[in-house]
Amino acid sequence: EQDWEEALRWMQRAQEHVRHSGKTLSQITKDEEGDSDDNLMMVPPLPDAMHISLFIKILDNTAWIYRHQHLFGTALETYREISKLLDLRQQQNQDDEDDSPRPKNDDNDIDDDLLSQMQIDVRLDIADCQSALGEHEEAKEMYEELLSRKETESSPLEGVLHHNLGLIYAKQNQPHLAMESLHKALKCKRAFVEETHAEMGKTWNVMGAVLASNQQPRQALVYFRHAVLIARIHDDQEEVRQIERNIAMVQENLHTPFSTNGGGGGGNPFSTRRLK
């Protein structure tokens, strides 16, 4: 844990170093819209055009550390800052098309294709954090928006999005919608990975939890055993222990109805862990 704190301090120092060379957003707004105080947004300095991609990388690593520490609210705000920077960079690219092309700056250059993928990635990160914070409707709306994009169709991300939607439906006690989304996730994932891939195991595990919580323990055991086999293949001991706990609970309560009601100690007892 101390190492993570040290890593976070280095990331924060890097942020300040890059910010120091840039403008404030209020200065950018003033440059573009005149001197009206009504237009000024008083926020910390932003990097200039040539350093935005570097700054985004630093922020992305910072947010990843926050997520590891389960500081999902702070991670969410960091991802939102990344989203604003990407919007700013998109505007800069459009301005370059109208004027003379900006020379490429090696690793600091973001072309339109890369920019589009980065915008998709950060929206996924935002939705994941919202889901972890219990903001299920907001997360679901963003997952569905990403699924509607042509870039997502028939891509590896499609299976991840269906999985995440299934997880939200499960938390909202909508097992039929959850299983529908999870079956779609398996189908999409099979187009890109083998049956023993860790991503397949994640979905089998969630399906087992949904069924175990909805009076289908025998079928749940089948799915949990698929999941634990895959976790063992990948030597993911934490995942193995978590699934084995679920299996033990199903076996212990095989003839006992499972509760899926929230609150009052009656919630879903089965763990699916947070999807990364």
Side-chain angles (χ1 to χ4, degrees), residues 25-179:
L25 189 56
S26 63
Q27 290 172 323
I28 294 172
T29 308
K30 188 172 182 179
D31 291 345
E32 294 179 351
E33 300 184 12
D35 296 334
S36 172
D37 290 338
D38 294 337
N39 292 326
L40 301 188
M41 299 173 62
M42 300 308 296
V43 297
L46 290 172
D48 59 26
M50 301 301 283
H51 294 87
I52 284 180
S53 60
L54 173 61
F55 194 55
I56 288 171
K57 292 175 184 177
I58 295 169
L59 287 177
D60 188 55
N61 281 294
T62 303
W64 187 83
I65 294 171
Y66 286 138
R67 287 174 73 168
H68 178 82
Q69 297 176 314
H70 298 279
L71 300 173
F72 298 111
T74 309
L76 178 59
E77 292 307 310
T78 306
Y79 285 127
R80 283 174 171 158
E81 184 172 3
I82 293 173
S83 182
K84 290 177 183 178
L85 285 169
L86 290 171
D87 290 342
L88 176 62
R89 189 52 183 264
Q90 183 177 42
Q91 183 60 52
Q92 290 171 345
N93 285 2
Q94 291 172 351
D95 292 343
D96 289 341
E97 292 177 1
D98 296 336
D99 303 321
S100 58
R102 175 175 52 82
K104 290 185 179 293
N105 191 35
D106 300 324
D107 292 339
N108 284 332
D109 189 71
I110 307 177
D111 62 25
D112 290 339
D113 290 339
L114 179 57
L115 181 60
S116 176
Q117 184 58 53
M118 292 173 71
Q119 288 172 323
I120 289 173
D121 290 344
V122 76
R123 290 180 73 79
L124 177 61
D125 289 325
I126 288 171
D128 286 347
C129 288
Q130 288 173 325
S131 180
L133 290 167
E135 300 173 4
H136 298 315
E137 289 302 320
E138 294 85 348
K140 185 163 64 175
E141 182 178 341
M142 191 162 292
Y143 289 141
E144 289 172 343
E145 186 271 326
L146 289 171
L147 273 173
S148 70
R149 295 191 176 204
K150 63 179 182 180
E151 301 97 325
T152 304
E153 186 177 357
S154 300
S155 75
L157 181 58
E158 186 177 11
V160 173
L161 291 169
H162 282 301
H163 175 107
N164 291 6
L165 280 171
L167 196 53
I168 287 178
Y169 285 129
K171 292 176 181 177
Q172 294 179 324
N173 197 23
Q174 300 183 69
H176 294 298
L177 290 175
M179 292 302 291

Side-chain angles (χ1 to χ4, degrees), residues 233-250:
I233 289 172
H234 293 277
D235 197 26
D236 187 340
Q237 294 304 313
E238 182 181 357
E239 187 82 354
V240 168
R241 287 191 294 270
Q242 176 260 306
I243 301 170
E244 285 181 340
R245 285 195 297 269
N246 285 349
I247 291 173
M249 290 174 70
V250 174

Side-chain angles (χ1 to χ4, degrees), residues 160-228:
V160 173
L161 291 169
H162 282 301
H163 175 107
N164 291 6
L165 280 171
L167 196 53
I168 287 178
Y169 285 129
K171 292 176 181 177
Q172 294 179 324
N173 197 23
Q174 300 183 69
H176 294 298
L177 290 175
M179 292 302 291
E180 181 181 337
S181 291
L182 293 167
H183 278 296
K184 288 179 180 177
L186 284 179
K187 181 179 179 180
C188 293
K189 289 179 179 183
R190 283 191 177 108
F192 296 95
V193 300
E194 298 179 349
E195 284 292 331
T196 56
H197 194 280
E199 278 294 324
M200 298 293 289
K202 290 180 182 180
T203 301
W204 285 120
N205 189 27
V206 178
M207 293 172 79
V210 172
L211 293 178
S213 298
N214 286 276
Q215 294 79 45
Q216 299 182 62
R218 296 186 187 280
Q219 188 61 39
L221 282 174
V222 173
Y223 291 164
F224 280 142
R225 285 166 179 158
H226 276 302
V228 77

